[in-house]
Amino acid sequence: MQTDSASGGACSVPLPARAHLPAGWRDVPVLDIVIPVYNEEKDLGPCVLRLHDHLVRTFPYPFRITIADNASTDRTPEVAERLAASSEEVRYTRLEQKGRGRALRAVWSASDAPVLAYMDVDLSTDLNALLPLVAPLISGHSDLAIGSRLARSSRVVRGPKREFISRSYNLILRGSLQARFSDAQCGFKAIRGDVAGVLLPLVEDTGWFFDTEMLVLAERAGLRIHEVPVDWVDDPDSTVHLVKTATDDLKGVWRVGRALAVGALPLDRLTRPFGDDPRDRQLPGVPRGLARQLVGFCVVGALSTLFYLLLYSGFRTFSGSQVANALALLVSAVANTAANRRLTFGVRGRDRAMRHQAQGLVVFAIGLALTSGSLAALGAASGNASHGTELAVLVAANLAATVLRFLLLRAWVFPEHRADVTPPPETPYELTYAHDPRNAR
């Protein structure tokens, strides 16, 4: 798993705002559908012919079908070459290593189409769902799209064994990786080309877990995933090895979960600005994301205060009030800075983490001065105050320091980058269309 991190934190915007592909697009295919295959000499021909006929009849944009051969050892290359020679919309590429994820990464990374998709060679998914799958990506509404067999309106025909495995796997994803998408394994997905260029280098798996890893990273980065209910009929002759696939998937879940937990993935590279609606643009003098940050800060603050009080009570059993207060504040301050860094201000990765902690300790010193001063004032006033009175005074002092802490964290420790105020650059698709002499008025 890659551990490098882009500088700038959550405020960097490497991806432009999503844009609708122009209706006059004709330079390259709008859609590139990849069919990854391994020893599929029997099913490949009928699959490609059926898909090609469907696209000719129903798809309103130029398209391409790319056959990605994963080192087949049967007659699959001969069938694929014959299909490519018979139609200008069909291409064939061969990889000398197996792995569906490897095939998708190779073809998608080299494709010039603005929308990329893939489907399994058995065509278990009804092709009527293809246009609804890619339409949100063409329109600029979404970044990725997936077919879902687990949506309420989906119609699925498959055996109880596969049904149990599929639902169990998605429950594992929800419980371990907090995934919200409903179906990670359906072989029917699409992604915008500009998103793929940034997202695919972060995806490590080269096999069946490729889909899940891609979706989890996209969701954690805040990208929009569109789900399409599908009609799906199980292929009884599928060559997928369920036990090995399930084992590899669980290993992938552990690997990705660990990387997310330690902040080892530079997901800030996938940050999206708002769209082109004037109401979504940044207004001078209006703080960006203030309401969301306040909510996050309050949640983190409440938990930190509880943690601090528990620590204080524990340290107080073997030390004086001032020593217990200093130790409890120090430990809780480190945890508070880390939590606010990730949850409140959305800074991921390890870049400048030590600097943020050092700045957080300065803020801690201010809180220490306020709370220690409050304890000193209490001791001078009452002489021998009860433990409950000490806690009440500390809560009041912490509330007073909270406002100042939030202002310092927002303005000094995690400042927003003013470069975000500038409009996002035009996408390559917009530039190509705008400079096309055929579009001159």
Side-chain angles (χ1 to χ4, degrees):
M1 186 65 68
Q2 297 188 23
T3 57
D4 58 322
S5 177
S7 62
C11 294
S12 60
V13 184
L15 286 173
R18 287 182 294 265
H20 192 302
L21 298 182
W25 185 279
R26 287 295 182 272
D27 293 332
V28 298
V30 167
L31 175 64
D32 192 348
I33 305 178
V34 181
I35 303 177
V37 292
Y38 174 72
N39 289 348
E40 297 287 355
E41 62 180 7
K42 177 182 176 182
D43 295 333
L44 180 57
C47 163
V48 172
L49 294 176
R50 179 182 165 197
L51 175 60
H52 184 272
D53 177 69
H54 177 83
L55 290 169
V56 169
R57 289 186 294 104
T58 66
F59 195 69
Y61 289 93
F63 65 88
R64 177 191 303 139
I65 300 172
T66 301
I67 303 169
D69 178 13
N70 290 132
S72 294
T73 57
D74 63 356
R75 295 181 57 255
T76 295
E78 300 174 27
V79 177
E81 289 175 350
R82 187 166 61 250
L83 290 167
S86 64
S87 174
E88 61 179 9
E89 287 92 6
V90 179
R91 288 187 180 181
Y92 167 63
T93 183
R94 178 176 171 86
L95 289 82
E96 297 303 328
Q97 292 177 292
K98 294 176 61 177
R100 182 180 67 172
R102 180 178 287 108
L104 293 177
R105 185 202 312 277
V107 178
W108 281 355
S109 299
S111 179
D112 54 357
V115 177
L116 311 167
Y118 95 89
M119 61 180 60
D120 292 335
V121 69
D122 56 17
L123 294 186
S124 296
T125 305
D126 184 6
L127 292 178
N128 286 328
L130 180 57
L131 185 55
L133 181 81
V134 301
L137 310 186
I138 295 174
S139 70
H141 176 271
S142 300
D143 298 293
L144 299 91
I146 65 174
S148 175
R149 299 163 296 183
L150 302 181
R152 289 183 178 272
S153 56
S154 297
R155 297 186 298 176
V156 176
V157 179
R158 62 177 166 181
K161 181 180 179 180
R162 285 182 175 271
E163 182 76 13
F164 174 78
I165 292 176
S166 179
R167 291 189 178 275
S168 299
Y169 180 64
N170 282 282
L171 285 175
I172 291 173
L173 292 181
R174 289 177 178 270
S176 60
L177 299 179
Q178 290 79 51
R180 296 182 180 180
F181 48 85
S182 66
D183 192 350
Q185 294 177 309
C186 182
F188 195 69
K189 296 182 176 69
I191 184 173
R192 284 179 63 100
D194 54 350
V195 176
V198 182
L199 178 58
L200 294 185
L202 304 181
V203 181
E204 180 176 320
D205 191 79
T206 59
W208 293 96
F209 187 69
F210 176 88
D211 303 45
T212 301
E213 185 172 354
M214 178 180 68
L215 291 174
V216 169
L217 299 187
E219 187 175 71
R220 286 298 186 95
L223 298 182
R224 184 174 293 161
I225 302 174
H226 179 73
E227 296 199 16
V228 178
V230 297
D231 297 341
W232 194 87
V233 179
D234 188 18
D235 177 14
D237 298 325
S238 174
T239 59
V240 178
H241 300 286
L242 296 180
V243 175
K244 183 180 185 303
T245 301
T247 303
D248 291 342
D249 286 347
L250 292 178
K251 292 179 180 178
V253 169
W254 168 256
R255 174 176 53 80
V256 172
R258 182 177 57 185
L260 292 172
V262 300
L265 290 166
L267 299 182
D268 52 320
R269 297 176 182 175
L270 297 168
T271 304
R272 277 284 198 195
F274 285 119
D276 59 358
D277 191 318
R279 295 170 296 180
D280 292 335
R281 294 173 185 164
Q282 181 115 5
L283 299 178
V286 178
R288 181 176 179 269
L290 178 60
R292 181 191 61 78
Q293 291 178 354
L294 279 173
V295 172
F297 181 79
C298 289
V299 172
V300 172
L303 296 176
S304 297
T305 300
L306 178 61
F307 182 50
Y308 159 75
L309 293 176
L310 292 175
L311 289 174
Y312 176 81
S313 297
F315 292 141
R316 191 67 174 86
T317 59
F318 59 83
S319 63
S321 61
Q322 293 288 3
V323 173
N325 175 61
L327 291 175
L329 268 179
L330 178 61
V331 175
S332 61
V334 173
N336 180 276
T337 300
N340 275 311
R341 182 178 189 269
R342 175 68 182 271
L343 302 177
T344 302
F345 300 97
V347 180
R348 298 180 174 88
R350 300 174 182 174
D351 183 58
R352 299 193 297 175
M354 295 303 299
R355 175 183 173 181
H356 292 155
Q357 282 291 351
Q359 292 173 306
L361 289 177
V362 175
V363 179
F364 148 76
I366 297 175
L368 177 62
L370 287 174
T371 54
S372 297
S374 299
L375 284 175
L378 176 64
S382 59
N384 188 21
S386 66
H387 181 63
T389 303
E390 286 182 352
L391 290 180
V393 169
L394 288 175
V395 169
N398 269 291
L399 289 176
T402 296
V403 175
L404 182 59
R405 186 184 305 123
F406 176 76
L407 294 176
L408 288 174
L409 289 177
R410 180 179 171 84
W412 180 50
V413 182
F414 307 110
E416 292 187 303
H417 296 267
R418 299 307 171 194
D420 291 347
V421 179
T422 60
E426 291 180 292
T427 68
Y429 310 135
E430 290 173 315
L431 291 173
T432 301
Y433 182 72
H435 298 160
D436 190 339
R438 293 173 295 175
N439 297 319
R441 298 290 182 183

